[in-house]
Amino acid sequence: MKMWRSSGPVKAGAVIRWSFLGVELILYYLILTTGGEVLRWSSWISIVVCFLYTLGPWSKRNALVVAGLGCTVVADLFLVVCDPIQRLWGMIAFLCAQTLYAVHLHRLRSGKWMLIFRVGLLALGTGICVAVLGAQTDLLALVSIAYYACLIMNLIHGVRSRKGWLLPVALVLFLLCDTVIGLQVASMGYLPIGEGSWLYRVIFPGWNMAWAFYLPSQVMLAVYASR
């Protein structure tokens, strides 16, 4: 009886985890193979499911990651569900998520040099943004640069924390997704990219490259937060 009781929660946790991964795999297939309303809602629901999965038993040390996934749900509400898309509010929510991940990482392994590098990268990114865009610089561009700088530093910090591979790999995929989206948005006004160029063909391959990176990153963050 003791063995059954002790293994019960473990088995239940495994069932929930595999069920979660199964649901996400189905949604991943829909995201990569459909369009229109099916794509729109399956995309957002997949992120909601990631967040809901983290609301089960989780360690207090990962509470900020859970909160970050909650911010991601809000961000994708603005960027995926809303019509028209609310890019500024979506990026602000994403910046909040990355800030929460940054605080989590500093709790794992703090250091004044990482803070200095964060501030330095943010200043450098802002300077480049203003230099390149000039009069076209707006709040969306500045928030996006701050978000991107925070994500890059989170990736570096995640690797240095040496707390397993889930978080660093999730952040790598996150970075790849945002690089694709950033170039796509830039091609629509900030930095026009010719349709015949190799870069245009890379960022617009004819399938949902951004979400091919993005959903696995969120699934890994959810699993990481639920350990």
Side-chain angles (χ1 to χ4, degrees):
M1 182 63 71
K2 285 184 178 180
M3 290 182 62
W4 183 87
R5 286 179 178 176
S6 63
S7 63
V10 175
K11 290 181 178 179
V15 169
I16 292 172
R17 183 178 300 111
W18 284 108
S19 298
F20 162 66
L21 294 175
V23 169
E24 291 293 4
L25 186 60
I26 293 170
L27 291 168
Y28 193 55
Y29 173 79
L30 293 175
I31 290 167
L32 296 181
T33 60
T34 63
E37 290 298 302
V38 175
L39 170 61
R40 180 183 179 187
W41 287 104
S42 59
S43 298
W44 188 61
I45 289 171
S46 69
I47 305 305
V48 173
V49 171
C50 284
F51 176 61
L52 292 177
Y53 175 70
T54 65
L55 297 182
W58 45 269
S59 170
K60 287 184 178 180
R61 67 180 180 178
N62 294 331
L64 291 173
V65 180
V66 175
L69 284 165
C71 290
T72 302
V73 170
V74 176
D76 283 322
L77 178 65
F78 287 123
L79 296 173
V80 175
V81 177
C82 286
D83 187 15
I85 292 172
Q86 304 296 316
R87 283 198 176 90
L88 177 58
W89 290 109
M91 290 310 302
I92 289 173
F94 267 133
L95 178 57
C96 289
Q98 290 300 326
T99 302
L100 289 166
Y101 297 153
V103 176
H104 168 77
L105 286 163
H106 276 280
R107 284 184 174 181
L108 292 180
R109 182 171 181 174
S110 61
K112 65 178 182 179
W113 287 112
M114 292 303 295
L115 287 173
I116 293 172
F117 287 145
R118 282 184 183 276
V119 174
L121 184 60
L122 176 59
L124 177 63
T126 301
I128 292 174
C129 177
V130 173
V132 173
L133 299 182
Q136 294 186 66
T137 305
D138 55 14
L139 185 56
L140 174 60
L142 294 175
V143 171
S144 299
I145 286 295
Y147 159 78
Y148 202 72
C150 190
L151 174 55
I152 291 173
M153 286 307 303
N154 284 347
L155 172 56
I156 295 171
H157 205 156
V159 172
R160 284 177 54 83
S161 68
R162 298 176 183 176
K163 298 294 182 179
W165 60 271
L166 265 178
L167 185 57
V169 172
L171 292 172
V172 167
L173 294 173
F174 215 145
L175 184 64
L176 288 172
C177 164
D178 287 327
T179 300
V180 171
I181 292 178
L183 290 172
Q184 289 175 345
V185 172
S187 72
M188 297 175 187
Y190 292 113
L191 296 171
I193 300 173
E195 293 188 11
S197 67
W198 67 268
L199 182 56
Y200 187 92
R201 291 193 295 271
V202 169
I203 63 177
F204 293 102
W207 50 279
N208 203 336
M209 180 189 291
W211 274 82
F213 294 131
Y214 181 56
L215 184 54
S217 77
Q218 300 310 298
V219 170
M220 288 183 183
L221 284 170
V223 172
Y224 171 85
S226 302
R227 293 186 306 173

PDB file of all heavy atoms in Angstrom, residues 120-151:
ATOM      1  N   GLY A 120      24.389  47.976 -20.463  1.00  0.00           N
ATOM      2  CA  GLY A 120      25.209  48.327 -21.619  1.00  0.00           C
ATOM      3  C   GLY A 120      24.582  47.894 -22.930  1.00  0.00           C
ATOM      4  O   GLY A 120      24.571  48.651 -23.908  1.00  0.00           O
ATOM      5  N   LEU A 121      24.058  46.664 -22.958  1.00  0.00           N
ATOM      6  CA  LEU A 121      23.433  46.166 -24.185  1.00  0.00           C
ATOM      7  C   LEU A 121      22.176  46.961 -24.517  1.00  0.00           C
ATOM      8  O   LEU A 121      21.904  47.251 -25.690  1.00  0.00           O
ATOM      9  CB  LEU A 121      23.084  44.678 -24.030  1.00  0.00           C
ATOM     10  CG  LEU A 121      22.503  43.994 -25.274  1.00  0.00           C
ATOM     11  CD1 LEU A 121      23.479  44.070 -26.437  1.00  0.00           C
ATOM     12  CD2 LEU A 121      22.157  42.532 -24.972  1.00  0.00           C
ATOM     13  N   LEU A 122      21.403  47.319 -23.501  1.00  0.00           N
ATOM     14  CA  LEU A 122      20.207  48.128 -23.714  1.00  0.00           C
ATOM     15  C   LEU A 122      20.577  49.493 -24.295  1.00  0.00           C
ATOM     16  O   LEU A 122      19.938  49.962 -25.252  1.00  0.00           O
ATOM     17  CB  LEU A 122      19.451  48.301 -22.399  1.00  0.00           C
ATOM     18  CG  LEU A 122      18.209  49.209 -22.440  1.00  0.00           C
ATOM     19  CD1 LEU A 122      17.199  48.687 -23.450  1.00  0.00           C
ATOM     20  CD2 LEU A 122      17.580  49.315 -21.064  1.00  0.00           C
ATOM     21  N   ALA A 123      21.615  50.125 -23.738  1.00  0.00           N
ATOM     22  CA  ALA A 123      22.050  51.428 -24.241  1.00  0.00           C
ATOM     23  C   ALA A 123      22.557  51.318 -25.683  1.00  0.00           C
ATOM     24  O   ALA A 123      22.247  52.165 -26.530  1.00  0.00           O
ATOM     25  CB  ALA A 123      23.142  51.995 -23.336  1.00  0.00           C
ATOM     26  N   LEU A 124      23.331  50.261 -25.954  1.00  0.00           N
ATOM     27  CA  LEU A 124      23.859  50.053 -27.306  1.00  0.00           C
ATOM     28  C   LEU A 124      22.726  49.830 -28.297  1.00  0.00           C
ATOM     29  O   LEU A 124      22.707  50.423 -29.387  1.00  0.00           O
ATOM     30  CB  LEU A 124      24.805  48.854 -27.314  1.00  0.00           C
ATOM     31  CG  LEU A 124      25.392  48.456 -28.675  1.00  0.00           C
ATOM     32  CD1 LEU A 124      26.249  49.584 -29.238  1.00  0.00           C
ATOM     33  CD2 LEU A 124      26.217  47.170 -28.547  1.00  0.00           C
ATOM     34  N   GLY A 125      21.775  48.975 -27.924  1.00  0.00           N
ATOM     35  CA  GLY A 125      20.647  48.689 -28.807  1.00  0.00           C
ATOM     36  C   GLY A 125      19.814  49.927 -29.083  1.00  0.00           C
ATOM     37  O   GLY A 125      19.386  50.165 -30.227  1.00  0.00           O
ATOM     38  N   THR A 126      19.584  50.730 -28.048  1.00  0.00           N
ATOM     39  CA  THR A 126      18.806  51.949 -28.219  1.00  0.00           C
ATOM     40  C   THR A 126      19.527  52.922 -29.144  1.00  0.00           C
ATOM     41  O   THR A 126      18.910  53.548 -30.024  1.00  0.00           O
ATOM     42  CB  THR A 126      18.552  52.621 -26.856  1.00  0.00           C
ATOM     43  OG1 THR A 126      17.860  51.703 -26.006  1.00  0.00           O
ATOM     44  CG2 THR A 126      17.716  53.880 -27.022  1.00  0.00           C
ATOM     45  N   GLY A 127      20.844  53.049 -28.954  1.00  0.00           N
ATOM     46  CA  GLY A 127      21.626  53.940 -29.804  1.00  0.00           C
ATOM     47  C   GLY A 127      21.591  53.523 -31.262  1.00  0.00           C
ATOM     48  O   GLY A 127      21.419  54.362 -32.160  1.00  0.00           O
ATOM     49  N   ILE A 128      21.735  52.217 -31.515  1.00  0.00           N
ATOM     50  CA  ILE A 128      21.698  51.713 -32.888  1.00  0.00           C
ATOM     51  C   ILE A 128      20.311  51.935 -33.491  1.00  0.00           C
ATOM     52  O   ILE A 128      20.179  52.321 -34.656  1.00  0.00           O
ATOM     53  CB  ILE A 128      22.065  50.215 -32.919  1.00  0.00           C
ATOM     54  CG1 ILE A 128      23.538  50.029 -32.533  1.00  0.00           C
ATOM     55  CG2 ILE A 128      21.794  49.624 -34.304  1.00  0.00           C
ATOM     56  CD1 ILE A 128      23.951  48.579 -32.396  1.00  0.00           C
ATOM     57  N   CYS A 129      19.274  51.697 -32.691  1.00  0.00           N
ATOM     58  CA  CYS A 129      17.900  51.879 -33.155  1.00  0.00           C
ATOM     59  C   CYS A 129      17.663  53.319 -33.614  1.00  0.00           C
ATOM     60  O   CYS A 129      17.141  53.559 -34.702  1.00  0.00           O
ATOM     61  CB  CYS A 129      16.924  51.511 -32.041  1.00  0.00           C
ATOM     62  SG  CYS A 129      15.182  51.781 -32.435  1.00  0.00           S
ATOM     63  N   VAL A 130      18.080  54.268 -32.778  1.00  0.00           N
ATOM     64  CA  VAL A 130      17.892  55.680 -33.112  1.00  0.00           C
ATOM     65  C   VAL A 130      18.739  56.072 -34.325  1.00  0.00           C
ATOM     66  O   VAL A 130      18.286  56.811 -35.210  1.00  0.00           O
ATOM     67  CB  VAL A 130      18.244  56.573 -31.903  1.00  0.00           C
ATOM     68  CG1 VAL A 130      18.219  58.044 -32.285  1.00  0.00           C
ATOM     69  CG2 VAL A 130      17.272  56.307 -30.749  1.00  0.00           C
ATOM     70  N   ALA A 131      19.972  55.535 -34.397  1.00  0.00           N
ATOM     71  CA  ALA A 131      20.863  55.870 -35.512  1.00  0.00           C
ATOM     72  C   ALA A 131      20.325  55.340 -36.838  1.00  0.00           C
ATOM     73  O   ALA A 131      20.425  56.013 -37.875  1.00  0.00           O
ATOM     74  CB  ALA A 131      22.259  55.302 -35.241  1.00  0.00           C
ATOM     75  N   VAL A 132      19.762  54.131 -36.809  1.00  0.00           N
ATOM     76  CA  VAL A 132      19.267  53.508 -38.047  1.00  0.00           C
ATOM     77  C   VAL A 132      17.917  54.085 -38.471  1.00  0.00           C
ATOM     78  O   VAL A 132      17.709  54.409 -39.642  1.00  0.00           O
ATOM     79  CB  VAL A 132      19.166  51.977 -37.872  1.00  0.00           C
ATOM     80  CG1 VAL A 132      18.483  51.347 -39.081  1.00  0.00           C
ATOM     81  CG2 VAL A 132      20.552  51.374 -37.680  1.00  0.00           C
ATOM     82  N   LEU A 133      17.001  54.208 -37.512  1.00  0.00           N
ATOM     83  CA  LEU A 133      15.639  54.633 -37.855  1.00  0.00           C
ATOM     84  C   LEU A 133      15.476  56.152 -37.918  1.00  0.00           C
ATOM     85  O   LEU A 133      14.598  56.648 -38.609  1.00  0.00           O
ATOM     86  CB  LEU A 133      14.644  54.052 -36.846  1.00  0.00           C
ATOM     87  CG  LEU A 133      14.570  52.533 -36.758  1.00  0.00           C
ATOM     88  CD1 LEU A 133      13.497  52.109 -35.757  1.00  0.00           C
ATOM     89  CD2 LEU A 133      14.277  51.931 -38.136  1.00  0.00           C
ATOM     90  N   GLY A 134      16.299  56.860 -37.178  1.00  0.00           N
ATOM     91  CA  GLY A 134      16.222  58.312 -37.207  1.00  0.00           C
ATOM     92  C   GLY A 134      14.854  58.821 -36.792  1.00  0.00           C
ATOM     93  O   GLY A 134      14.349  58.496 -35.717  1.00  0.00           O
ATOM     94  N   ALA A 135      14.234  59.591 -37.659  1.00  0.00           N
ATOM     95  CA  ALA A 135      12.929  60.196 -37.361  1.00  0.00           C
ATOM     96  C   ALA A 135      11.813  59.155 -37.253  1.00  0.00           C
ATOM     97  O   ALA A 135      10.740  59.448 -36.716  1.00  0.00           O
ATOM     98  CB  ALA A 135      12.575  61.225 -38.425  1.00  0.00           C
ATOM     99  N   GLN A 136      12.062  57.948 -37.760  1.00  0.00           N
ATOM    100  CA  GLN A 136      11.045  56.891 -37.687  1.00  0.00           C
ATOM    101  C   GLN A 136      11.021  56.186 -36.328  1.00  0.00           C
ATOM    102  O   GLN A 136      10.155  55.358 -36.073  1.00  0.00           O
ATOM    103  CB  GLN A 136      11.286  55.844 -38.769  1.00  0.00           C
ATOM    104  CG  GLN A 136      11.109  56.344 -40.195  1.00  0.00           C
ATOM    105  CD  GLN A 136      11.223  55.214 -41.197  1.00  0.00           C
ATOM    106  OE1 GLN A 136      10.396  54.294 -41.263  1.00  0.00           O
ATOM    107  NE2 GLN A 136      12.272  55.254 -42.004  1.00  0.00           N
ATOM    108  N   THR A 137      11.971  56.526 -35.464  1.00  0.00           N
ATOM    109  CA  THR A 137      12.012  55.908 -34.140  1.00  0.00           C
ATOM    110  C   THR A 137      10.748  56.237 -33.366  1.00  0.00           C
ATOM    111  O   THR A 137      10.353  57.395 -33.262  1.00  0.00           O
ATOM    112  CB  THR A 137      13.233  56.415 -33.343  1.00  0.00           C
ATOM    113  OG1 THR A 137      14.425  56.183 -34.095  1.00  0.00           O
ATOM    114  CG2 THR A 137      13.326  55.705 -32.002  1.00  0.00           C
ATOM    115  N   ASP A 138      10.093  55.209 -32.849  1.00  0.00           N
ATOM    116  CA  ASP A 138       8.878  55.419 -32.065  1.00  0.00           C
ATOM    117  C   ASP A 138       8.916  54.532 -30.818  1.00  0.00           C
ATOM    118  O   ASP A 138       9.867  53.786 -30.591  1.00  0.00           O
ATOM    119  CB  ASP A 138       7.619  55.132 -32.900  1.00  0.00           C
ATOM    120  CG  ASP A 138       7.621  53.738 -33.517  1.00  0.00           C
ATOM    121  OD1 ASP A 138       8.444  52.893 -33.090  1.00  0.00           O
ATOM    122  OD2 ASP A 138       6.818  53.481 -34.437  1.00  0.00           O
ATOM    123  N   LEU A 139       7.872  54.624 -30.007  1.00  0.00           N
ATOM    124  CA  LEU A 139       7.831  53.873 -28.745  1.00  0.00           C
ATOM    125  C   LEU A 139       7.865  52.375 -28.995  1.00  0.00           C
ATOM    126  O   LEU A 139       8.513  51.626 -28.252  1.00  0.00           O
ATOM    127  CB  LEU A 139       6.580  54.259 -27.950  1.00  0.00           C
ATOM    128  CG  LEU A 139       6.448  53.641 -26.549  1.00  0.00           C
ATOM    129  CD1 LEU A 139       7.665  53.968 -25.693  1.00  0.00           C
ATOM    130  CD2 LEU A 139       5.167  54.109 -25.876  1.00  0.00           C
ATOM    131  N   LEU A 140       7.186  51.913 -30.045  1.00  0.00           N
ATOM    132  CA  LEU A 140       7.185  50.482 -30.367  1.00  0.00           C
ATOM    133  C   LEU A 140       8.600  49.998 -30.646  1.00  0.00           C
ATOM    134  O   LEU A 140       9.011  48.937 -30.166  1.00  0.00           O
ATOM    135  CB  LEU A 140       6.281  50.205 -31.569  1.00  0.00           C
ATOM    136  CG  LEU A 140       6.293  48.767 -32.101  1.00  0.00           C
ATOM    137  CD1 LEU A 140       5.848  47.786 -31.026  1.00  0.00           C
ATOM    138  CD2 LEU A 140       5.399  48.648 -33.342  1.00  0.00           C
ATOM    139  N   ALA A 141       9.358  50.761 -31.414  1.00  0.00           N
ATOM    140  CA  ALA A 141      10.731  50.374 -31.738  1.00  0.00           C
ATOM    141  C   ALA A 141      11.588  50.327 -30.482  1.00  0.00           C
ATOM    142  O   ALA A 141      12.384  49.399 -30.292  1.00  0.00           O
ATOM    143  CB  ALA A 141      11.322  51.360 -32.748  1.00  0.00           C
ATOM    144  N   LEU A 142      11.439  51.310 -29.592  1.00  0.00           N
ATOM    145  CA  LEU A 142      12.248  51.358 -28.374  1.00  0.00           C
ATOM    146  C   LEU A 142      11.892  50.222 -27.420  1.00  0.00           C
ATOM    147  O   LEU A 142      12.778  49.600 -26.822  1.00  0.00           O
ATOM    148  CB  LEU A 142      12.055  52.710 -27.681  1.00  0.00           C
ATOM    149  CG  LEU A 142      12.589  53.932 -28.453  1.00  0.00           C
ATOM    150  CD1 LEU A 142      12.230  55.215 -27.726  1.00  0.00           C
ATOM    151  CD2 LEU A 142      14.107  53.833 -28.642  1.00  0.00           C
ATOM    152  N   VAL A 143      10.593  49.936 -27.270  1.00  0.00           N
ATOM    153  CA  VAL A 143      10.169  48.819 -26.414  1.00  0.00           C
ATOM    154  C   VAL A 143      10.673  47.501 -26.996  1.00  0.00           C
ATOM    155  O   VAL A 143      11.134  46.619 -26.258  1.00  0.00           O
ATOM    156  CB  VAL A 143       8.629  48.795 -26.266  1.00  0.00           C
ATOM    157  CG1 VAL A 143       8.178  47.513 -25.577  1.00  0.00           C
ATOM    158  CG2 VAL A 143       8.154  50.008 -25.474  1.00  0.00           C
ATOM    159  N   SER A 144      10.614  47.373 -28.307  1.00  0.00           N
ATOM    160  CA  SER A 144      11.066  46.143 -28.969  1.00  0.00           C
ATOM    161  C   SER A 144      12.560  45.932 -28.763  1.00  0.00           C
ATOM    162  O   SER A 144      13.008  44.807 -28.514  1.00  0.00           O
ATOM    163  CB  SER A 144      10.740  46.194 -30.465  1.00  0.00           C
ATOM    164  OG  SER A 144       9.343  46.293 -30.683  1.00  0.00           O
ATOM    165  N   ILE A 145      13.342  47.014 -28.846  1.00  0.00           N
ATOM    166  CA  ILE A 145      14.783  46.922 -28.623  1.00  0.00           C
ATOM    167  C   ILE A 145      15.072  46.524 -27.183  1.00  0.00           C
ATOM    168  O   ILE A 145      15.927  45.672 -26.903  1.00  0.00           O
ATOM    169  CB  ILE A 145      15.478  48.254 -28.962  1.00  0.00           C
ATOM    170  CG1 ILE A 145      15.538  48.450 -30.478  1.00  0.00           C
ATOM    171  CG2 ILE A 145      16.879  48.309 -28.369  1.00  0.00           C
ATOM    172  CD1 ILE A 145      16.396  47.428 -31.213  1.00  0.00           C
ATOM    173  N   ALA A 146      14.356  47.138 -26.234  1.00  0.00           N
ATOM    174  CA  ALA A 146      14.544  46.798 -24.820  1.00  0.00           C
ATOM    175  C   ALA A 146      14.211  45.330 -24.574  1.00  0.00           C
ATOM    176  O   ALA A 146      14.925  44.624 -23.845  1.00  0.00           O
ATOM    177  CB  ALA A 146      13.667  47.694 -23.949  1.00  0.00           C
ATOM    178  N   TYR A 147      13.128  44.869 -25.187  1.00  0.00           N
ATOM    179  CA  TYR A 147      12.720  43.462 -25.053  1.00  0.00           C
ATOM    180  C   TYR A 147      13.788  42.532 -25.627  1.00  0.00           C
ATOM    181  O   TYR A 147      14.168  41.534 -25.004  1.00  0.00           O
ATOM    182  CB  TYR A 147      11.385  43.259 -25.768  1.00  0.00           C
ATOM    183  CG  TYR A 147      11.109  41.826 -26.123  1.00  0.00           C
ATOM    184  CD1 TYR A 147      10.671  40.919 -25.157  1.00  0.00           C
ATOM    185  CD2 TYR A 147      11.307  41.367 -27.418  1.00  0.00           C
ATOM    186  CE1 TYR A 147      10.433  39.593 -25.481  1.00  0.00           C
ATOM    187  CE2 TYR A 147      11.068  40.045 -27.746  1.00  0.00           C
ATOM    188  CZ  TYR A 147      10.640  39.167 -26.784  1.00  0.00           C
ATOM    189  OH  TYR A 147      10.413  37.861 -27.105  1.00  0.00           O
ATOM    190  N   TYR A 148      14.256  42.858 -26.826  1.00  0.00           N
ATOM    191  CA  TYR A 148      15.222  41.997 -27.506  1.00  0.00           C
ATOM    192  C   TYR A 148      16.537  41.933 -26.731  1.00  0.00           C
ATOM    193  O   TYR A 148      17.149  40.861 -26.592  1.00  0.00           O
ATOM    194  CB  TYR A 148      15.451  42.519 -28.924  1.00  0.00           C
ATOM    195  CG  TYR A 148      15.974  41.487 -29.890  1.00  0.00           C
ATOM    196  CD1 TYR A 148      15.142  40.460 -30.349  1.00  0.00           C
ATOM    197  CD2 TYR A 148      17.281  41.540 -30.360  1.00  0.00           C
ATOM    198  CE1 TYR A 148      15.615  39.517 -31.243  1.00  0.00           C
ATOM    199  CE2 TYR A 148      17.755  40.592 -31.260  1.00  0.00           C
ATOM    200  CZ  TYR A 148      16.914  39.584 -31.695  1.00  0.00           C
ATOM    201  OH  TYR A 148      17.382  38.643 -32.576  1.00  0.00           O
ATOM    202  N   ALA A 149      16.985  43.089 -26.216  1.00  0.00           N
ATOM    203  CA  ALA A 149      18.211  43.127 -25.417  1.00  0.00           C
ATOM    204  C   ALA A 149      18.062  42.282 -24.153  1.00  0.00           C
ATOM    205  O   ALA A 149      18.980  41.550 -23.759  1.00  0.00           O
ATOM    206  CB  ALA A 149      18.551  44.571 -25.051  1.00  0.00           C
ATOM    207  N   CYS A 150      16.884  42.372 -23.527  1.00  0.00           N
ATOM    208  CA  CYS A 150      16.632  41.593 -22.310  1.00  0.00           C
ATOM    209  C   CYS A 150      16.624  40.098 -22.618  1.00  0.00           C
ATOM    210  O   CYS A 150      17.166  39.298 -21.858  1.00  0.00           O
ATOM    211  CB  CYS A 150      15.296  42.025 -21.701  1.00  0.00           C
ATOM    212  SG  CYS A 150      14.991  41.365 -20.051  1.00  0.00           S
ATOM    213  N   LEU A 151      16.047  39.721 -23.762  1.00  0.00           N
ATOM    214  CA  LEU A 151      16.005  38.317 -24.156  1.00  0.00           C
ATOM    215  C   LEU A 151      17.413  37.777 -24.404  1.00  0.00           C
ATOM    216  O   LEU A 151      17.748  36.665 -23.970  1.00  0.00           O
ATOM    217  CB  LEU A 151      15.137  38.156 -25.409  1.00  0.00           C
ATOM    218  CG  LEU A 151      15.085  36.776 -26.062  1.00  0.00           C
ATOM    219  CD1 LEU A 151      14.669  35.703 -25.064  1.00  0.00           C
ATOM    220  CD2 LEU A 151      14.130  36.792 -27.256  1.00  0.00           C
TER     221      LEU A 151
END
